[in-house]
Amino acid sequence: MVEKKKIYFASDFHLGVPTYEKSREREARLVRWLDSIKDDAAELYLVGDIFDFWFEYATAVPKGFVRFLGKLAELADHGTRITFFKGNHDMWMFGYLEQELGAKIIADELIIERQGKRFYLHHGDGLGPGDAKYKFLKKFFRSKFCQWLFARVHPNLGIGIALRWSQNSRIVNNKKEWRKEAEQEWLVVYSREVLKKEHFDYLVFGHRHLPLDIEVGPNSRYINLGEWVNYNSYAVFDGTHLELKTFEG
């Protein structure tokens, strides 16, 4: 048996779009990836937008993703600790994944320390300068009133509306992301602001849809995990270093 000591980070799978067939192809790839890490993954951090839409009704959840969820259950049963972050597409997670997978659900940031290295983790939405409209919508969508109101809508209608809304997303329209100068990368700006208050070795985010590894201070790096429509990118911490990698080329 290989000792489970590595920590894996991934985000922005956007399962469910742009079509059922494309989503199933991505799900199969994710299952192969999870199968490849199951023997050495002590922890797995899924840093938001794992599903393109997710809402837990009292007695129903969105259809699909059974192979992916089943593989996560297998990892959990074999000792891998799983943490889900709420993204801007799947913020309506409540208790289902905690109950079924023993997963921990994180709404905003999480600070951890492993092997003497400090990590700041966040999906990345609503941070940094600008984007006032989304920041307002995020507060509304996360409000108890909005969640109560949506829960009154029948799943057939509610999930249907949400999936139609998704057709305007960057992933569905395959909007190509380009790296900007560091001063224009809003999560780089945000990371540097965080580092003014306390030190972190790694500041790890999703949401940007572009794998990035940028030095943001002395012995501090900003890592963006990218996404799995174009890049199949993830990060792994081996106890000494955090490294961005790509699965299946």
Side-chain angles (χ1 to χ4, degrees):
M1 287 289 291
V2 177
E3 182 183 0
K4 288 177 176 286
K5 63 179 183 179
K6 292 184 178 180
I7 303 174
Y8 290 87
F9 306 84
S11 72
D12 293 87
F13 302 159
H14 287 275
L15 289 170
V17 294
T19 64
Y20 175 79
E21 292 75 19
K22 291 292 185 182
S23 179
R24 279 282 292 110
E25 289 177 11
R26 196 176 322 127
E27 181 183 23
R29 191 161 62 249
L30 286 162
V31 167
R32 293 195 299 273
W33 174 62
L34 291 172
D35 206 42
S36 74
I37 71 172
K38 67 181 180 182
D39 290 331
D40 65 8
E43 299 180 72
L44 173 61
Y45 290 86
L46 300 174
V47 191
D49 285 357
I50 301 308
F51 309 103
D52 200 71
F53 172 73
W54 186 267
F55 186 87
E56 294 173 20
Y57 291 88
T59 56
V61 295
K63 290 197 307 182
F65 328 124
V66 294
R67 293 163 182 83
F68 172 69
L69 292 172
K71 185 56 67 172
L72 287 181
E74 181 183 337
L75 265 68
D77 289 346
H78 285 84
T80 300
R81 298 188 298 277
I82 299 172
T83 300
F84 272 88
F85 284 71
K86 295 182 179 182
N88 50 302
H89 282 257
D90 51 12
M91 64 178 67
W92 288 338
M93 295 180 181
F94 305 123
Y96 176 74
L97 297 172
E98 290 176 299
Q99 181 179 11
E100 295 299 322
L101 302 175
K104 185 176 182 180
I105 307 298
I106 304 298
D108 293 297
E109 74 276 353
L110 176 67
I111 295 170
I112 63 172
E113 184 170 336
R114 300 290 186 270
Q115 305 299 319
K117 302 291 187 181
R118 301 191 75 228
F119 295 75
Y120 180 97
L121 311 174
H122 194 292
H123 176 60
D125 60 315
L127 301 179
D131 209 5
K133 180 180 179 181
Y134 171 71
K135 290 175 181 177
F136 170 78
L137 288 174
K138 180 179 178 179
K139 287 183 178 179
F140 174 70
F141 286 146
R142 286 197 174 189
S143 69
K144 294 293 184 183
F145 172 72
C146 180
Q147 294 168 12
W148 177 88
L149 197 64
F150 196 86
R152 309 276 77 77
V153 179
H154 190 280
N156 287 351
L157 178 59
I159 294 174
I161 291 171
L163 292 178
R164 282 194 292 275
W165 179 297
S166 289
Q167 297 306 307
N168 297 314
S169 71
R170 290 177 291 163
I171 286 291
V172 170
N173 292 287
N174 201 25
K175 181 180 178 181
K176 187 69 174 178
E177 298 290 340
W178 301 96
R179 177 171 173 167
K180 303 176 182 179
E181 295 296 326
E183 291 71 21
Q184 295 178 312
E185 286 284 351
W186 68 92
L187 289 174
V188 168
V189 174
Y190 178 79
S191 295
R192 288 174 174 163
E193 289 299 315
V194 170
L195 289 169
K196 290 179 181 179
K197 301 175 183 177
E198 58 183 311
H199 172 75
F200 293 97
D201 297 277
Y202 304 107
L203 299 99
V204 182
F205 302 90
H207 189 59
R208 180 69 175 86
H209 291 182
L210 195 62
L212 295 169
D213 184 343
I214 298 173
E215 185 176 308
V216 288
N219 302 311
S220 297
R221 286 159 53 201
Y222 156 69
I223 303 292
N224 198 282
L225 298 168
E227 43 85 350
W228 278 67
V229 174
N230 298 295
Y231 296 107
N232 305 338
S233 50
Y234 65 97
V236 56
F237 179 64
D238 63 5
T240 304
H241 303 289
L242 181 67
E243 182 182 0
L244 271 176
K245 293 190 174 185
T246 300
F247 182 67
E248 294 185 350

